[in-house]
Amino acid sequence: MSLAHTPAIMILGTGSNVGKSLIVAGLCRLFTDRGLKVAPFKPQNMSNNAAATPGGEIGRAQALQARAARIAPHVDMNPVLLKPESETGSQIVLQGRVAGHLASGDYARRGDFLPQVLESFERLCARADLVIVEGAGSPAETNLRARDIANLGFARAANVPAILIGDIDRGGVIASLIGTHAVLEEADRAMLRAFAINRFRGDASLFGAGVETIQAATGWPCLGIVPWFAEAARLPAEDGLDLRSGARKPGAGLKIAVPVMPGIANFDDLDPLKSEPGVDLVLVRRGEALPGDADLIILPGSKTTLRDLAVLRSEGWDIDIQAHRRRGGCVMGLCGGYQMLGRVVRDPLGLEGPAGEAEGLGLLDVETVLDREKTVREVDIAHAASGAAGRAYEIHLGDTQGADTMRAPFRVGTRTEGAMSPDGRVVGTYLHGVFSADPVRSAWLAAVSGVASAFSYEAEVEATLDRLAAHLAAHLDVEALLALARQRLGLA
């Protein structure tokens, strides 16, 4: 199908975290299983949860959506990725590659990326039967509209019709939908063709009058009321707002504590552990102590290692970790967390904030120097002790060297990767996604707790995507949605 005749639909939300990402993932699986070649697309994403593709980085949510569509992720699926480095600025990843820094006051500059956004969108259209586009935040942010490329600015530039999703679980869904309609300029409003309600609990028939109120005020038809999908927690989350501990498991054989720092990145590394039947994963927030009965402490990835290391100390977590270590507990560091476990972290070029260095926790005999060259790649890995193999990925700045790298816990191809203390109870690695590889996770759990796992995280993700697609098919008018997608260039 040629570019000019590629149907596309954009899924917008009344705000952040209303379920857009999962709805797009579910629709990708639904229409793919109906025989269409489907591609996900998000013009601009802001997240430190990134995925590696052969061409560079994209948002983790778009990688999940590609998986739902049963295709390989590609940088064109998320041409602009903004990775927050502080409350006032973000790293710019443009079509997979680092392209500078964007200060919070430079919102107008985002419009400069529209040519690359449209270029990526056109390439996707050329090889798809249907493109499902995800917006970002809310189109009602009229203060940002002038150079918008994430919502209706993109929809108008690419002539993509849109539907608006409201989250009834957070309250105020009638006001948020009608309010969005009210504040939009007429040309933007014309791109919105319908609405849907997400995360409904209870009897949907009780909301009939609410639907009528929204329809009367906006003129939009309702494509459906989607009930709460509890299994969404089994899928990787895009937003840090979704970062929660799993249900407590008092009888679990292994208790893992994770301190949550401001710059936490690639936190979906934890999802397979959260799903493990024999693991009790506890996320520890600022103001809380690390639990003294934890068997293992994991320091997750970080976009701002030096800043998060300072936070770790200000919270007293360094003291908790040292006490845990004296009790014989295990510690694991992932990427930025690995860097924190060493003797020192140096950022002489100011790549993640002001130039400087900081003393690490000293639990591994290694030192890290951050440099401009960013490693982004998917890799074949093996657990060194058992030989269990799988796939993982790397996204990091810096080089880590020292005596403890001679006891590397993993292999990547023919090279060793990571570091381990002489007693084997402190481990660091730059690998992300290592726990998603079922054989590797099982071998690692056996080494830490003495009990291997038969749980298949990969199978659970696939089954959950199938159930999500069925859930949307049962509660959304997907035929009407597809007809809207075909309206893009007068195809319906």
Side-chain angles (χ1 to χ4, degrees):
M1 183 172 288
S2 70
L3 170 62
H5 295 88
T6 303
I9 189 73
M10 190 167 195
I11 309 300
L12 299 179
T14 54
S16 297
N17 206 39
V18 302
K20 299 186 295 290
S21 295
L22 283 183
I23 286 176
V24 171
L27 291 174
C28 283
R29 176 57 57 94
L30 189 160
F31 287 119
T32 295
D33 286 351
R34 291 189 176 189
L36 296 176
K37 291 187 293 183
V38 183
F41 182 73
K42 185 161 186 169
Q44 174 190 293
N45 199 346
M46 178 174 281
S47 177
N48 276 330
N49 229 22
T53 78
E57 294 179 75
I58 62 172
R60 197 75 197 156
Q62 281 61 67
L64 176 67
Q65 291 159 0
R67 177 175 183 163
R70 305 187 192 279
I71 58 176
H74 191 279
V75 293
D76 282 336
M77 294 173 182
N78 177 209
V80 179
L81 174 62
L82 302 178
K83 304 186 75 173
E85 296 174 319
S86 68
E87 294 181 358
T88 59
S90 300
Q91 181 186 79
I92 305 166
V93 179
L94 188 60
Q95 292 179 324
R97 301 298 182 187
V98 175
H101 179 85
L102 188 74
S104 59
D106 293 339
Y107 284 112
R109 281 188 58 206
R110 300 185 188 190
D112 296 340
F113 308 137
L114 184 59
Q116 290 92 338
V117 166
L118 294 176
E119 178 183 76
S120 289
F121 178 67
E122 289 181 358
R123 280 197 293 260
L124 282 184
C125 286
R127 54 183 183 266
D129 299 324
L130 173 67
V131 179
I132 305 178
V133 184
E134 180 188 343
S138 166
E141 295 165 342
T142 55
N143 56 310
L144 305 178
R145 175 61 186 88
R147 303 295 297 279
D148 168 59
I149 61 171
N151 292 304
L152 291 170
F154 167 81
R156 285 176 60 180
N159 193 31
V160 176
I163 69 170
L164 186 63
I165 305 297
D167 177 8
I168 197 168
D169 190 63
R170 65 173 58 188
V173 72
I174 295 174
S176 62
L177 286 163
I178 295 175
T180 299
H181 180 274
V183 301
L184 295 177
E185 60 180 79
E186 187 56 40
D188 281 353
R189 192 181 296 140
M191 300 305 300
L192 282 166
R193 309 294 169 79
F195 73 95
I197 305 294
N198 195 28
R199 294 175 176 162
F200 192 92
R201 300 178 192 258
D203 183 356
S205 67
L206 299 178
F207 195 65
V211 169
E212 292 175 1
T213 298
I214 298 165
Q215 289 176 327
T218 64
W220 298 329
C222 179
L223 296 190
I225 298 176
V226 181
W228 182 269
F229 184 68
E231 293 178 86
R234 298 180 181 178
L235 295 173
E238 175 185 39
D239 200 309
L241 294 172
D242 293 320
L243 189 58
R244 302 182 181 93
S245 297
R248 298 308 304 274
K249 304 171 189 172
L254 183 69
K255 184 171 184 177
I256 300 176
V258 181
V260 179
M261 291 167 280
I264 187 170
N266 295 85
F267 48 80
D268 60 316
D269 282 337
L270 306 172
D271 288 345
L273 298 175
K274 184 171 64 175
S275 297
E276 270 285 352
V279 171
D280 184 17
L281 184 76
V282 181
L283 301 181
V284 182
R285 306 288 176 172
R286 297 180 71 171
E288 303 172 346
L290 295 175
D293 60 346
D295 302 294
L296 168 70
I297 292 172
I298 294 180
L299 300 185
S302 170
K303 185 66 185 69
T304 50
T305 302
L306 290 179
R307 184 182 68 157
D308 281 354
L309 186 53
V311 169
L312 187 146
R313 287 197 164 95
S314 71
E315 293 296 319
W317 287 334
D318 58 330
I319 298 171
D320 293 342
I321 292 169
Q322 297 289 356
H324 168 83
R325 181 78 174 100
R326 288 194 297 272
R327 292 191 295 268
C330 296
V331 183
M332 185 174 194
L334 303 174
C335 201
Y338 169 30
Q339 296 171 345
M340 294 180 201
L341 291 176
R343 294 193 305 270
V344 66
V345 181
R346 298 187 175 92
D347 185 5
L349 302 177
L351 299 173
E352 293 188 347
E357 65 178 62
E359 182 181 350
L361 297 178
L363 298 183
L364 285 175
D365 186 7
V366 297
E367 296 186 0
T368 297
V369 178
L370 304 185
D371 55 37
R372 293 190 186 280
E373 190 65 30
K374 191 171 191 177
T375 299
V376 180
R377 59 192 171 202
E378 294 180 282
V379 290
D380 292 313
I381 67 166
H383 182 238
S386 67
R391 290 282 288 174
Y393 65 98
E394 297 177 63
I395 299 179
H396 67 89
L397 291 172
D399 181 57
T400 299
Q401 298 292 335
D404 283 348
T405 63
M406 301 301 294
R407 287 175 294 274
F410 298 102
R411 294 195 305 272
V412 175
T414 58
R415 67 179 172 89
T416 59
E417 201 289 321
M420 184 166 60
S421 62
D423 65 0
R425 303 187 75 82
V426 181
V427 167
T429 178
Y430 275 120
L431 297 174
H432 291 291
V434 66
F435 299 133
S436 295
D438 293 327
V440 177
R441 187 182 67 259
S442 180
W444 179 81
L445 287 172
V448 172
S449 67
V451 180
S453 169
F455 170 69
S456 176
Y457 177 72
E458 293 297 311
E460 178 178 83
V461 170
E462 285 298 312
T464 303
L465 286 170
D466 287 340
R467 289 191 288 268
L468 175 60
H471 185 72
L472 296 182
H475 299 287
L476 277 181
D477 187 344
V478 294
E479 297 303 328
L481 188 146
L482 191 56
L484 289 175
R486 290 171 174 152
Q487 288 180 7
R488 181 183 170 223
L489 293 176
L491 300 179

